[in-house]
């Protein structure tokens, strides 16, 4: 091991007070039917990516434990959600929108009070840098606030009547039923809340299971959930996916499945539902987003964007750039600048100032990444940067691997970590074939200046990926933009306003525009006889 990494974990005993968490948190609570229940069974240890030295060597620090519920408890949570929905007749799905909004506003206020513990747990549980952990928290709160505005706008637009071919009608969006929401470990707060809250606001009831890492950080919010919503509207369970979630799907009582993870995992769970036609899926899945760097690209910008794209949160973003296709004409200068830029990135612990490379939460990840690099080396590639691929416990120093070709796993596999495959190309058609033949279709980035060439590539890729970024890394934000994917990368589109649509269905009241019918509708409206058929709206 080089001197670069040898002291990486030594400051674990000098954590600034603001970033500290309790020495050990034994969580036994879970939320069902408006009650925090206590689990007396087996617990799952929570291992931080932060390592400590023990007699056995460097080991991931155990910072707590969470309940390993069985199918019995998860089905009880589902039943609570089913009862609260009550076939669409429950208090929550029939509640006036303004009231549902008040419940969520109450939650947002309480959530804000828990910013510090949640941010600290994001650092300790998944190794996110302090800056990015704070960003995740604030972005999530902002997302909820923006969702409330989008919902009010939707409500205003739905208040009007439409007239067509002698028929008048009013169209409104209503809930789908019981939603199961599961998020990923890389955005355990943000990505789960961007499905969970739109689902709740549209009147669905929810069972929420936190991701495999980033589990304890939901605990500071459990009481806020309990106190902000009526019993059964939101239920939070913990445990192994196969046991807990499998049972929920097999029950046939889940109406909406919101899941961020692998396409194999999503397919297996979807297949368990006895009536797949009744299950609506909202899925964010695998991706292998390429950056295509053309000979006339502004190299400085391309390098800066590719550093952000490949290595923000150590490459553990679904939108990360996971392969760089670099034109042979600029391969030399690009690699020189890119390598220099990687060398400037500071490895360290999440709370250290200026740090950008941090330890990885998945225990098997360093070995997996090493396997990918070794496979590429066997097929003729090289690691071209100093320290590339060095490992210390849970830390893996970014490896720039070049030249990568179709014989290597790195050409196809989503590494989801700090390994950067460089694929040199000569003809634009080679880049087009890479994208067209990929099983994934989330996003891509194009770097260059020639409008004719870029225009041609945009047209070649428009039917392949959900977003084409020009001279910019791939990313989900701004959150008002549609976030979608083709092929094995996604099902459905999310954004602040789209999420409200995917968790609801339009229902309309329509009638022939006769004098009697007009009078009937008029009376319903003026006497406020219906909560659905109304021209009232929220400002
Ligand atoms: O991991 C997938 C995230 O939705 C990506 O979001 O592009 O803002 O990092 P981001």
């Amino acid at each position: 091991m080089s001197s670069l990494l040898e002291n990486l974990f030594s400051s674990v005993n000098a954590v600034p007070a603001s970033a500290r968490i309790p020495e050990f948190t034994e969580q036994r609570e879970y939320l069902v039917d408006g009650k925090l229940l206590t689990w007396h069974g087996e617990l799952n240890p929570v291992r931080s990516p932060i390592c400590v030295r023990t007699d056995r060597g460097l080991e991931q620090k155990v910072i707590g434990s969470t309940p390993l519920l069985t199918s019995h408890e998860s089905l009880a949570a589902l039943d609570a959600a089913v009862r609260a929905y009550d076939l669409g007749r429950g208090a929550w799905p029939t509640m006036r929108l303004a009231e549902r909004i008040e419940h969520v506003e109450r939650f947002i206020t309480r959530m804000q009070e828990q910013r510090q513990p949640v941010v600290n747990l994001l650092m300790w549980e998944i190794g996110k840098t302090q800056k990015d952990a704070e960003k995740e928290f604030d972005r999530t709160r902002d997302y909820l606030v923006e969702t409330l505005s989008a919902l009010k706008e939707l409500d205003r637009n739905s208040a009007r009547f439409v007239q067509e071919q002698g028929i008048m009608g009013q169209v409104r969006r209503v809930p789908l039923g019981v939603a199961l929401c599961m998020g990923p470990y890389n955005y355990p707060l943000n990505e789960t809340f961007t499905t969970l809250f739109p689902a709740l606001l549209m009147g669905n009831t929810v069972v929420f299971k936190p991701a495999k890492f980033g589990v304890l950080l939901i605990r500071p919010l459990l009481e806020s959930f309990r106190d902000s919503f009526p019993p059964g509207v939101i239920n939070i369970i913990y445990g192994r996916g196969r046991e807990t979630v499998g049972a929920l799907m097999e029950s046939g009582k889940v109406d909406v499945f919101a899941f961020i993870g692998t396409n194999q995992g999503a397919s297996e769970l979807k297949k368990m539902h006895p009536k797949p036609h009744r299950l609506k899926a909202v899925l964010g899945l695998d991706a292998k987003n390429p950056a295509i760097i053309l000979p006339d690209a502004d190299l400085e910008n391309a390098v800066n964007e590719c550093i952000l794209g490949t290595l923000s949160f150590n490459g553990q973003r679904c939108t990360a750039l996971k392969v760089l296709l670099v034109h042979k004409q600029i391969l030399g200068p690009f690699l020189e600048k890119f390598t220099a830029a990687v060398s400037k990135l500071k490895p360290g612990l999440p709370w250290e100032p200026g740090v950008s490379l941090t330890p990885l939460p998945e225990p098997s990840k360093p070995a997996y990444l090493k396997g990918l690099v070794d496979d590429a080396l066997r097929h003729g590639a090289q690691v071209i940067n100093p320290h590339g691929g060095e490992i210390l416990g849970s830390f893996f120093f970014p490896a720039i691997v070049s030249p990568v070709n179709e014989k290597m796993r790195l050409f196809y596999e989503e590494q989801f970590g700090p390994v950067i495959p460089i694929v040199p190309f000569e003809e634009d058609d080679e880049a087009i074939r890479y994208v067209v033949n990929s099983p994934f279709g989330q996003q891509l980035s194009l770097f260059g200046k020639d409008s004719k060439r870029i225009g041609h590539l945009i047209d070649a890729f428009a039917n392949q990926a959900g977003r084409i970024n020009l001279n910019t890394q791939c990313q989900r934000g701004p959150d008002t933009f549609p976030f979608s994917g083709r092929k094995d990368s996604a099902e459905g589109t999310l954004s602040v306003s789209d999420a409200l649509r995917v968790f609801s269905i339009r229902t309309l009241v329509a009638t022939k525009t006769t004098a009697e019918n007009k009078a009937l509708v008029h009376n319903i409206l003026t006497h406020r006889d219906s909560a659905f058929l109304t021209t009232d709206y929220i400002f």
Side-chain angles (χ1 to χ4, degrees), residues 139 186-187 191 316-319 474-477 483:
R139 177 182 179 183
N186 61 337
Y187 279 95
E191 292 228 48
Q316 301 167 114
R317 292 159 61 225
C318 60
T319 47
C474 295
Q475 59 193 352
R476 176 173 174 158
F483 180 49

